[in-house]
Amino acid sequence: AEVAVRHNYHRPQLTSDDVVAISGGRHPVVEQSLMGESFIPNDTYLSNKDSQLIILTGPNMSGKSTYLRQVALIVLLAQMGSFVPAESATIGLVDRIFTRIGAQEDLAAGQSTFMVEMIETANILSNATPRSLIILDEIGRGTSTYDGLSIAHAVAEYIHSHPKLGAKTLFATHYHELVELAGFLPRVKNFNVAVTEERGKVVFLRKVIPGGADKSYGIHVAQLAGLPKSVLHRAQEVLTELEGDRHRKLPQGQRGRRGRLPEAPLQQLPLFGQKPAVIEELLKLDLDSLTPLEAINKLYELQKKAKEG
């Protein structure tokens, strides 16, 4: 009661439905540790019916992890019978809160960070119910980019679509490709932690807003951490080069159905700008005038020339 009065907590409303609605939510620990600045509150709406899985993007240090933790703590405090750090909160009872947060190794058991991460994720997928609250802070970062993205994509689809799961989920990720899930999974919503740039420097606004992040600002964060200017400059050069290669190899829109990873680009047939003779002959064919028999005979002929060439 004393904490509630001192720190402007409010009484939550507990219900038996499947909605978690928080207005002006705050992290009860972080807000007390800030020196000389106020905590930026954020709203949350989760519902099994229309806003079940939130994909949260944004750069490091922007506040994604704090936001995830504050939602879990508010739900926990409410079900303990406490007032909560929010302007208002309607909490549908949850059976368990599952979390996959942070990186750790179990060297004694011979388990890598990635193995620990996968074991924890497997436990969540095996035991969560539609009544659960799932907090995922990065999935798949302990392996290669495409492997990690594939796993994160599949985990999100499973949570959303498995008939015995469908739990309310907050999923923070650096894989911006996951925002495409909202295009074909009806209960997925995209949010990001807002940032802005002022005079070439990134400013974290700490506000969760609808939509996906358009860039990661990783080099800006490295600058804030104090990396040498020569390293930052070189990193920017490499980033520009990598993005250019990716743009050339994967034209805009070249992506598989339902947000799957891009397929490998087709091998380029022309050499030094010249079309092989078989291609030239194929282009000259008048397909409308060919009979089926003539067409198949011509196909065999072209195949033979291609093998000989």
Side-chain angles (χ1 to χ4, degrees):
E2 181 179 350
V3 170
V5 171
R6 285 178 177 270
H7 304 307
N8 195 32
Y9 288 13
H10 291 85
R11 184 175 66 183
Q13 179 182 0
L14 294 177
T15 69
S16 59
D17 61 19
D18 57 11
V19 173
V20 171
I22 301 169
S23 177
R26 313 184 307 275
H27 192 296
V29 178
V30 173
E31 73 169 346
Q32 298 307 314
S33 64
L34 296 177
M35 298 295 183
E37 58 179 309
S38 58
F39 189 92
I40 305 298
N42 278 294
D43 300 341
T44 304
Y45 179 79
L46 289 164
S47 168
N48 290 53
K49 294 183 176 65
D50 54 16
S51 185
Q52 175 211 330
L53 196 160
I54 289 178
I55 301 293
L56 182 64
T57 50
N60 283 321
M61 295 178 58
S62 62
K64 297 194 302 297
S65 296
T66 297
Y67 176 74
L68 265 58
R69 286 170 167 84
Q70 80 184 36
V71 173
L73 287 171
I74 288 172
V75 170
L76 181 62
L77 287 169
Q79 294 196 192
M80 287 170 53
S82 170
F83 280 28
V84 298
E87 291 302 316
S88 65
T90 300
I91 308 295
L93 292 174
V94 304
D95 55 8
R96 280 167 290 184
I97 299 174
F98 291 94
T99 65
R100 158 84 281 278
I101 294 177
Q104 61 182 16
E105 294 182 345
D106 188 351
L107 297 178
Q111 294 176 344
S112 67
T113 298
F114 180 62
M115 176 59 79
V116 172
E117 180 182 329
M118 290 298 99
I119 290 172
E120 292 179 356
T121 303
N123 176 62
I124 292 172
L125 299 184
S126 298
N127 294 293
T129 74
R131 274 286 180 188
S132 303
L133 174 64
I134 300 177
I135 305 296
L136 300 175
D137 193 358
E138 301 291 345
I139 289 289
R141 62 182 171 184
T143 186
S144 70
T145 300
Y146 275 0
D147 279 355
L149 174 55
S150 300
I151 292 169
H153 189 287
V155 167
E157 279 192 348
Y158 188 90
I159 291 173
H160 176 278
S161 302
H162 194 281
K164 294 185 179 180
L165 218 168
K168 292 178 285 293
T169 304
L170 291 172
F171 193 150
T173 181
H174 282 100
Y175 295 131
H176 295 168
E177 294 85 348
L178 292 187
V179 302
E180 296 181 7
L181 290 169
F184 61 89
L185 297 180
R187 298 183 303 281
V188 172
K189 306 296 180 185
N190 292 324
F191 285 82
N192 73 93
V193 185
V195 297
T196 187
E197 289 185 63
E198 293 182 3
R199 299 176 182 177
K201 294 185 177 181
V202 64
V203 178
F204 301 113
L205 302 180
R206 315 291 185 192
K207 200 69 181 174
V208 175
I209 60 175
D214 57 354
K215 57 190 296 188
S216 65
Y217 294 97
I219 294 178
H220 292 78
V221 174
Q223 179 184 19
L224 292 174
L227 263 65
K229 290 184 178 179
S230 59
V231 173
L232 298 171
H233 179 69
R234 179 57 182 151
Q236 185 61 57
E237 289 179 344
V238 173
L239 176 62
T240 302
E241 182 178 342
L242 291 173
E243 288 180 338
D245 288 344
R246 183 179 180 184
H247 178 73
R248 286 191 292 271
K249 292 178 182 178
L250 296 173
Q252 187 174 4
Q254 184 178 340
R255 179 171 293 275
R257 290 186 302 108
R258 297 183 60 184
R260 290 189 178 93
L261 290 173
E263 297 178 358
L266 295 175
Q267 293 295 321
Q268 187 176 1
L269 290 175
L271 297 175
F272 307 107
Q274 297 179 353
K275 296 184 179 68
V278 173
I279 301 298
E280 291 281 9
E281 192 169 346
L282 182 61
L283 292 173
K284 291 177 181 178
L285 289 178
D286 184 3
L287 299 180
D288 293 332
S289 65
L290 288 177
T291 66
L293 181 59
E294 289 172 336
I296 197 168
N297 286 335
K298 194 64 179 177
L299 184 59
Y300 278 121
E301 179 185 336
L302 292 174
Q303 185 184 58
K304 183 179 179 180
K305 288 183 179 179
K307 289 179 178 179
E308 292 173 350

